[in-house]
Amino acid sequence: MGDQIEKDALFNGFAEVAKAMANGRRAELIDVLAQGERHVEDLASEIDQSVANTSHHLRVLAGAGLVATRREGTRIYYRLASGDVERLWATVRTVAQDHLDHIDELAADYLGNRDTLKEISRDELARRLDDGGLIVIDVRPEAEYAAGHIAGARSIPIRDLASSVRNLPPDVEIVAYCRGTYCVFADDAVRLLNGRRRRARRLQEGFPEWRSGRLPVTIGTHP
Amino acid sequence: MGDQIEKDALFNGFAEVAKAMANGRRAELIDVLAQGERHVEDLASEIDQSVANTSHHLRVLAGAGLVATRREGTRIYYRLASGDVERLWATVRTVAQDHLDHIDELAADYLGNRDTLKEISRDELARRLDDGGLIVIDVRPEAEYAAGHIAGARSIPIRDLASSVRNLPPDVEIVAYCRGTYCVFADDAVRLLNGRRRRARRLQEGFPEWRSGRLPVTIGTHP
DNA sequence: GGGGTACTCAACAGTTTCTTTGATAAGGAC
DNA sequence: GTCCTTATCAAAGAAACTGTTGAGTACCCC
C-alpha cells in the first residue's frame, strides 16, 4: 500500500475528470447540457461541429462519467450525469473568471459591451414573479425551454424575437434570460427590445442557477 | 458580438483551467499545495519527479492562474491562488469518486483495505478537542505541519512514527490525520499504532477540509 | 425484409503535451 | 568578484489528442 506507481495511477484517475473538460468544444457541450438533455444531432448543430466529432466528444465525456444517455427510438439523448457535474462546471468558470487574466477580454469580445444593459438579480425576479406586471421571456432554443424553464416564462428563441415583438404587450417591463452569465442570447434580446423602445432587463444568471436555487421551474412546452 | 469564433475562444479559455488540472502530476501538486505553500525542490521530491519537470508543471499551473508564487532568497514558494482553487480540486475529486467507475479500485489499490481502520469525523474531533483525553498527531511531512495544522496537534511525520511511539503516553486514544480522504499517511499511522496495541483512529477528512470548515488552526512549529 | 435515419467506430494526419537532458539566470555566501 | 544553490528555459523524441472521412450498427417505418 502507498507506493508511488499506485499513487500516480489514482491521481491520473482524478485528472481524467479534468481532462474530459479540458477542451473548448466539450466545455460548450457541458454548458448546453446543463440546460437539459439533448440529442446528438441537436448538440452538433448547437456547437457547430460535425455529428461524428460531436459524438466523439460525447463519448469522451461519457468515459469520464460526466454525462449519461437515454435512447428514444433512433435518437440518443445525452444529459449531465448529476448536479455535481453542473457544480464542477460552475466552479471552473468561477476560477477562470477570477484567476485567468485574459478571460475578461475573451468574454468582452464575445459578449460586447454590457454597460448599457440593465440587469435583474435572481432573487429580485423571484420576488416580482408573484407581483405580476412583468413578462419573462426565455430566449434559448426551444429544446432547452422544453427541457425546463422558469415557471411562467414564455419561449421566444432569440432568432424569432424580432418578428414576435409585436405580440408582446406594450408598456410592460420584459425580463429576458438564457443559459447563464456567458450566454449572449439575453443580451441580444435586451438590445433588440430597447431598440424597439421596450423596457427590458437581462437576468444576471441563467436557467441552471435558477433551478439549482430551487426556484419555481416548469418542464415541457405549454399548449 | 456573439459569433462562433469568439464563442469558441471564450470556451477554450474556460477549458484552459480544466487543462491545467488535466495531468496526474499537476493534480498531485495541487493536492500538496492545498496543505500550504512549498518550494520547488520540496515539491519535486514530494511528487517524485525531477526539479525541471516539476518546475515545468508549476509554470503550467501558474499560466492558468491556479497557483501564485513568492520569492525568499534563492527559494521560490508556490501556493494555491485562492480558496476557489481548493474548492475546484475538491469538486473534481467528488465527481471522480461518484462517477468514474474505476476510481474506487484505484483508491483501494493505493490505500489498501480500510475496513479495519476506525475513523472519527471532523465534527466529533472538534467537540472532543476541548474535552481532552485525546492526542492528535499530524503525520504529514513537517513542512506541511509548519504551514498550518489542527490547533493542539503534534507533528510526527509518518516516517518518524515508529521510533516515536514510545514518547506517546499509553492508554490515551490517538487521532491521526493527514492530507485528506485519499492520503495514505494516517492509514499507515493507525495500522502501526494498532500493531503496538494503541487505540488509534483516523480523521475522515484532511487538514484542508478542517481549515475550510473554519475550525481552530495553528501556523508554524512550536518551540 | 428493405430502406432510411441517427449515431458510433476505426483509421489517419496534423498538432499538442510530457518528460528528459543540458544550458542559463538569479540570488546568496565567502 | 567567484562559487554554489535554486529555479527556469530550450530542445527533442515519444505519446496523446483533435477533427475528418468513410464504414458499420441499431432502430424505425413501410
Side-chain angles (χ1 to χ4, degrees):
Chain A
M1 282 155 289
D3 97 351
Q4 191 65 36
I5 291 169
E6 288 160 348
K7 182 180 183 182
D8 285 3
L10 176 58
F11 279 79
N12 286 345
F14 292 135
E16 273 179 54
V17 169
K19 209 172 280 186
M21 303 189 89
N23 172 280
R25 255 28 65 219
R26 289 200 292 272
E28 285 188 57
L29 285 171
I30 290 171
D31 197 52
V32 173
L33 290 173
Q35 312 298 319
E37 65 169 15
R38 301 288 282 278
H39 57 76
V40 180
E41 196 174 8
D42 210 1
L43 288 165
S45 80
E46 200 67 70
I47 68 167
D48 221 43
Q49 298 285 312
S50 70
V51 170
N53 193 27
T54 304
S55 174
H56 175 66
H57 281 308
L58 287 167
R59 291 326 302 161
V60 173
L61 289 173
L66 301 191
V67 302
T69 60
R70 170 177 80 81
R71 174 153 229 157
E72 193 179 302
T74 63
R75 296 282 192 196
I76 293 177
Y77 286 84
Y78 279 80
R79 62 179 184 279
L80 294 191
S82 76
D84 279 343
V85 178
E86 201 178 310
R87 222 165 353 246
L88 177 58
W89 171 231
T91 311
V92 167
R93 276 175 300 163
T94 303
V95 170
Q97 181 168 32
D98 293 352
H99 298 298
L100 207 57
D101 292 339
H102 57 286
I103 209 83
D104 285 340
E105 207 177 320
L106 291 172
D109 287 347
Y110 177 51
L111 300 168
N113 185 0
R114 276 181 166 170
D115 292 348
T116 61
L117 298 178
K118 288 194 181 147
E119 297 193 330
I120 182 171
S121 74
R122 202 174 53 172
D123 292 341
E124 192 186 342
L125 178 58
R127 270 198 309 278
R128 292 197 49 191
L129 263 190
D130 306 323
D131 304 354
L134 201 66
I135 294 178
V136 181
I137 61 173
D138 183 326
V139 294
R140 299 174 300 164
E142 264 176 80
E144 294 173 30
Y145 177 86
H149 56 267
I150 293 179
R154 192 166 152 179
S155 173
I156 310 182
I158 185 67
R159 309 175 49 139
D160 304 338
L161 183 58
S163 59
S164 299
V165 177
R166 76 192 66 182
N167 301 327
L168 292 170
D171 300 321
V172 180
E173 187 170 33
I174 300 163
V175 171
Y177 76 90
C178 53
R179 291 176 183 157
T181 313
Y182 295 100
C183 175
V184 79
F185 297 153
D187 290 35
D188 288 347
V190 171
R191 287 195 185 96
L192 189 153
L193 291 166
N194 284 342
R196 307 279 182 99
R197 312 215 168 281
R198 303 294 188 114
R199 280 186 301 143
R201 287 198 272 174
R202 172 189 196 291
L203 179 63
Q204 278 167 346
E205 296 97 352
F207 175 69
E209 290 83 3
W210 181 273
R211 182 182 49 202
S212 67
R214 308 216 168 272
L215 292 164
V217 162
T218 303
I219 294 173
T221 51
H222 279 292
Chain B
M1 283 155 290
D3 98 351
Q4 192 64 37
I5 292 170
E6 288 160 346
K7 182 180 183 180
D8 286 3
L10 176 60
F11 279 79
N12 286 345
F14 292 135
E16 274 179 52
V17 168
K19 209 173 281 188
M21 302 190 88
N23 173 279
R25 258 24 68 219
R26 290 201 291 274
E28 284 188 56
L29 285 170
I30 289 171
D31 196 51
V32 172
L33 291 174
Q35 313 297 318
E37 65 169 16
R38 301 287 281 279
H39 57 76
V40 180
E41 197 174 7
D42 209 1
L43 288 165
S45 80
E46 198 66 69
I47 67 166
D48 221 44
Q49 298 285 311
S50 70
V51 171
N53 194 25
T54 303
S55 175
H56 171 69
H57 281 308
L58 287 167
R59 293 326 303 161
V60 173
L61 289 172
L66 301 192
V67 302
T69 60
R70 170 177 79 82
R71 171 153 232 154
E72 194 179 299
T74 62
R75 297 280 191 197
I76 292 178
Y77 285 84
Y78 279 81
R79 64 179 183 280
L80 295 191
S82 76
D84 279 343
V85 179
E86 201 178 309
R87 220 164 354 245
L88 178 58
W89 171 230
T91 311
V92 167
R93 276 175 302 163
T94 303
V95 170
Q97 182 169 32
D98 293 352
H99 298 299
L100 208 56
D101 292 337
H102 57 288
I103 208 84
D104 285 342
E105 206 177 321
L106 291 173
D109 288 347
Y110 176 52
L111 300 169
N113 185 359
R114 274 180 166 167
D115 291 348
T116 61
L117 298 178
K118 286 191 182 152
E119 299 194 329
I120 181 171
S121 74
R122 201 173 57 171
D123 292 340
E124 191 185 344
L125 177 59
R127 271 199 307 279
R128 292 197 48 190
L129 263 191
D130 306 323
D131 304 355
L134 202 66
I135 293 179
V136 181
I137 61 173
D138 183 326
V139 294
R140 299 174 299 164
E142 264 177 77
E144 294 173 30
Y145 178 84
H149 56 267
I150 293 178
R154 192 166 151 178
S155 173
I156 310 181
I158 186 67
R159 307 174 50 135
D160 305 338
L161 183 59
S163 59
S164 300
V165 176
R166 74 192 65 183
N167 302 325
L168 292 170
D171 299 323
V172 179
E173 188 171 32
I174 300 163
V175 171
Y177 76 91
C178 54
R179 290 173 183 158
T181 312
Y182 294 100
C183 175
V184 80
F185 298 153
D187 289 35
D188 288 347
V190 171
R191 287 197 185 94
L192 190 152
L193 290 166
N194 285 341
R196 308 281 182 96
R197 312 214 168 280
R198 303 292 189 117
R199 278 186 302 142
R201 285 199 272 175
R202 170 186 200 290
L203 179 63
Q204 277 167 347
E205 296 96 353
F207 175 69
E209 290 83 4
W210 180 273
R211 183 181 49 204
S212 68
R214 308 217 168 272
L215 291 164
V217 162
T218 304
I219 294 173
T221 51
H222 278 291

